[in-house]
Amino acid sequence: MYKLLIIDDEPQILEGMKRILDWKQYGFSRIDTCESTEAAMSMVVDLVPDVAIFDVCIGKNLGYEAIFKLNELHIPTKYVIMSGYSEFKYAQEAIRCGVKDYLLKPVDRIKLQQVIEKIIVEDLHGTIGNVSCESLNKDPVLGVSYDSLSKLVNRILLMIKTEYAQNITLKSVAERFQMNSTYLGQLFLKESEMKFSEYLMAYRMLLAQERIQSSDEKISSIALSVGYNNLNYFYTHFHTFFGKSPSDLRGKG
């Protein structure tokens, strides 16, 4: 029913934003991404997406400048800006160009959910009655509501969901929080009842399972796409997690 366009010059952010919500449950049947404002402007004109999410800085260009130009064409797309910067001038320009909201990175899943629901109801005149609030608010690995987890753990989960394809570790996450990695690991374990490394592996395995069963992509490519540079390591984790090989899973998919 709806079309979504996400614009960011970092591929891992684009992938994370595609997975941060179950867009299909909200009626988004098409999701496109691009990494430049030039491509974004062309796609908005050609596709007329219902919602477009722009990063505030895309290479050397500014997302809101592209939105200003698009507004002159009177295209009915609704815009959201996300940014790693909290400077008032960026937010001010975003407001001036009529964006629906200004989200700080890492994007908070609940906040984004609220923004999208508001756009669907108020601007697209749709409904969200077919969306299961319970399923949307439940972590796929832990099986518990995000609301039952602390803000800190939710931020860690969000980092994993956006950076799982990279070499993300407990140590690297702790450094970004300026916390001791041992202490952060203990907090994560106490709340989630899983070690950070166990959660990361489980999340990667679920993504790999989805791609194996829904595509003919090479197993080696899928392994790399979910963060495994070592194929043997991937096979070992996969068999440990599912009790079968990737080829067995695909054959029975």
Side-chain angles (χ1 to χ4, degrees):
M1 185 189 301
Y2 303 127
K3 292 175 288 186
L4 172 69
L5 177 62
I6 309 170
I7 306 96
D8 197 296
D9 57 359
E10 298 182 56
Q12 70 272 20
I13 298 295
L14 292 176
E15 187 63 29
M17 288 298 291
K18 285 168 63 177
R19 296 181 175 279
I20 191 172
L21 291 183
D22 187 341
W23 296 102
K24 286 185 179 180
Q25 289 203 54
Y26 280 105
F28 287 89
S29 57
R30 177 167 181 171
I31 301 176
D32 292 280
T33 63
C34 57
E35 300 178 25
S36 71
T37 53
E38 293 84 358
M41 292 182 69
S42 296
M43 291 183 76
V44 170
V45 171
D46 292 341
L47 302 176
V48 190
D50 297 280
V51 180
I53 304 176
F54 276 80
D55 185 23
V56 73
C57 292
I58 307 167
K60 296 181 180 180
N61 299 316
L62 295 168
Y64 57 74
E65 290 182 349
I67 295 174
F68 270 121
K69 294 176 182 178
L70 289 167
N71 282 339
E72 294 176 354
L73 302 177
H74 303 290
I75 296 173
T77 299
K78 306 305 174 185
Y79 302 101
V80 176
I81 278 187
M82 56 182 176
S83 172
Y85 308 94
S86 58
E87 282 89 341
F88 178 70
K89 67 174 183 177
Y90 287 132
Q92 189 176 39
E93 291 299 328
I95 293 172
R96 283 185 59 212
C97 66
V99 303
K100 304 305 296 184
D101 216 310
Y102 184 92
L103 304 174
L104 290 178
K105 292 181 178 179
V107 174
D108 182 81
R109 189 192 61 80
I110 298 298
K111 175 63 175 175
L112 176 63
Q113 179 180 322
Q114 293 171 342
V115 171
I116 294 301
E117 289 179 354
K118 186 175 181 180
I119 290 175
I120 289 174
V121 174
E122 296 184 1
D123 299 289
L124 304 180
H125 308 295
T127 63
I128 56 173
N130 62 329
V131 177
S132 169
C133 294
E134 183 178 352
S135 64
L136 285 170
N137 198 38
K138 185 175 290 187
D139 183 84
V141 175
L142 302 178
V144 300
S145 167
Y146 290 108
D147 295 337
S148 69
L149 303 171
S150 68
K151 184 176 181 180
L152 176 61
V153 169
N154 270 304
R155 289 187 66 188
I156 294 172
L157 297 182
L158 184 58
M159 284 185 177
I160 291 174
K161 288 175 173 60
T162 56
E163 300 177 27
Y164 62 87
Q166 303 176 46
N167 185 30
I168 183 172
T169 63
L170 178 61
K171 183 178 179 181
S172 67
V173 171
E175 287 175 351
R176 288 162 69 174
F177 283 121
Q178 297 184 326
M179 294 178 67
N180 177 276
S181 60
T182 300
Y183 178 66
L184 185 63
Q186 290 172 344
L187 288 178
F188 187 86
L189 175 61
K190 181 179 180 181
E191 200 166 323
S192 69
E193 298 183 354
M194 290 184 75
K195 293 181 180 178
F196 177 90
S197 58
E198 292 173 338
Y199 182 95
L200 177 61
M201 183 191 78
Y203 188 71
R204 285 170 166 169
M205 290 299 104
L206 292 179
L207 292 183
Q209 177 190 35
E210 176 187 334
R211 295 179 189 183
I212 288 169
Q213 294 181 318
S214 63
S215 76
D216 294 322
E217 190 177 356
K218 291 182 178 179
I219 301 300
S220 57
S221 297
I222 292 175
L224 187 62
S225 73
V226 297
Y228 284 87
N229 295 316
N230 186 313
L231 187 57
N232 289 332
Y233 198 34
F234 172 77
Y235 272 104
T236 299
H237 276 190
F238 196 95
H239 195 277
T240 299
F241 194 81
F242 292 108
K244 62 184 70 175
S245 70
S247 56
D248 286 339
L249 183 67
R250 173 167 279 166
K252 297 175 182 178

